[in-house]
Amino acid sequence: MRSVYRRVELLRVIAHPIRIRILEELTKGVKCVSDLEKFLDISQPNVSQHLAILRQYGVIDYYMDGRLRCYFLKDPIIPDILEILKKDYIEELPAPACCPVTKKGKYPGRR
Amino acid sequence: MRSVYRRVELLRVIAHPIRIRILEELTKGVKCVSDLEKFLDISQPNVSQHLAILRQYGVIDYYMDGRLRCYFLKDPIIPDILEILKKDYIEELPAPACCPVTKKGKYPGRR
DNA sequence: ATGTGATATTCAAATATAATAATATTTGCA
DNA sequence: TGCAAATATTATTATATTTGAATATCACAT
């Protein structure tokens, strides 16, 4: 069982609007830098910077096709996370049984 | 279907080692600030700051029990994310069929 | 070998985030 | 009413992240 805390780093890397868009795009298939550049509508160096970060943490990788760098998803956690982010949660979690009551002795395991 | 990008903000909020620990602890049940303070072994104001951030984004909420603020999980996405973070992924994603080949015409949907 | 297209790297400036220290607020109780 | 426990808020400082601009690299074609 992998430590959750080693994965927090991964979350930080994913938790950026541009990088999430890159990852979503890559779930659809291989993309080269200039395609991502058009899709994201940001500067080429900035695309490369984000790709470098994602690659540095093992989230993505690439292969060469001529002079194109073809990036693809590598970390299998990504599709799972993206799926959860898309999921529609309508209900909040059930509040603890004691919740609405503001009296003593209602905090389980204390007092 | 909720927008992924509204959720990126949520990811950013979660993607912090202390806040992840708080959330993990809260999956086990209601906790008050001083209990979290002991558990996390950081200053009380810092605990409150992290709790404030989590609450601000609707991730957690609290009820009062005497002078205790009893915090609990509110956003139902949290247990799902924590579960995925704990999951043990052994295999990388299958590389694209063209991957090892470094020749022209291997980038699907291009050239 | 040289030029060009595709992409990466580096640096600096702007901005955001985190932790610490100090102080304030709130609540129950004597 | 006034004190103390529990918690929140604010300001400050330190650090990290993001972006843009400029430049460098690398691979192929000529």
Side-chain angles (χ1 to χ4, degrees):
Chain A
M1 184 96 77
R2 199 186 187 93
S3 157
V4 171
Y5 312 113
R6 279 192 55 197
R7 290 289 194 178
V8 175
E9 211 173 40
L10 178 82
L11 273 195
R12 226 188 48 235
V13 163
I14 295 175
H16 184 288
I18 288 180
R19 291 197 288 268
I20 278 274
R21 291 183 66 203
I22 291 176
L23 294 176
E24 279 222 303
E25 198 58 10
L26 291 185
T27 57
K28 298 180 194 159
V30 180
K31 300 284 165 193
C32 76
V33 180
S34 50
D35 285 343
L36 290 171
E37 181 185 350
K38 277 175 229 149
F39 171 70
L40 298 167
D41 199 33
I42 60 175
S43 74
Q44 174 272 311
N46 200 11
V47 177
S48 283
Q49 284 164 343
H50 286 297
L51 290 172
I53 290 170
L54 289 170
R55 208 173 87 82
Q56 181 183 344
Y57 288 92
V59 179
I60 64 177
D61 205 352
Y62 68 88
Y63 63 90
M64 299 292 298
D65 177 10
R67 4 187 175 186
L68 303 180
R69 286 203 185 193
C70 303
Y71 281 89
F72 56 89
L73 284 189
K74 186 176 169 191
D75 190 327
I77 204 178
I78 300 302
D80 285 358
I81 290 188
L82 290 178
E83 191 183 347
I84 285 198
L85 290 183
K86 269 182 283 198
K87 209 166 133 191
D88 203 4
Y89 294 89
I90 24 194
E91 302 278 352
E92 287 178 4
L93 285 174
C98 44
C99 174
V101 189
T102 307
K103 289 183 187 161
K104 292 182 208 167
K106 291 299 171 185
Y107 177 19
R110 204 179 148 117
R111 337 201 100 189
Chain B
M1 184 96 77
R2 200 187 186 91
S3 158
V4 172
Y5 312 113
R6 278 191 57 196
R7 289 291 194 177
V8 174
E9 213 174 38
L10 179 82
L11 273 194
R12 229 187 46 234
V13 163
I14 294 175
H16 184 288
I18 287 180
R19 292 197 286 268
I20 278 275
R21 292 182 67 203
I22 290 175
L23 294 176
E24 280 222 303
E25 197 60 9
L26 291 186
T27 58
K28 298 179 194 159
V30 180
K31 299 285 165 193
C32 75
V33 180
S34 52
D35 284 343
L36 290 171
E37 180 185 351
K38 277 176 228 146
F39 171 70
L40 298 167
D41 199 32
I42 61 175
S43 75
Q44 175 271 312
N46 202 11
V47 177
S48 282
Q49 282 165 343
H50 286 298
L51 289 172
I53 291 169
L54 289 170
R55 207 172 88 83
Q56 182 182 345
Y57 288 92
V59 179
I60 63 177
D61 204 352
Y62 68 87
Y63 64 89
M64 299 292 298
D65 177 10
R67 4 187 175 188
L68 302 180
R69 284 204 185 192
C70 302
Y71 281 90
F72 57 88
L73 284 189
K74 185 176 170 191
D75 190 327
I77 204 178
I78 300 301
D80 286 358
I81 290 189
L82 290 177
E83 190 183 347
I84 285 197
L85 291 183
K86 270 183 281 200
K87 209 166 132 191
D88 202 5
Y89 294 89
I90 25 196
E91 302 278 352
E92 286 176 5
L93 284 174
C98 44
C99 174
V101 188
T102 308
K103 288 182 189 161
K104 292 180 208 168
K106 290 300 172 183
Y107 176 18
R110 205 178 148 116
R111 340 200 98 188

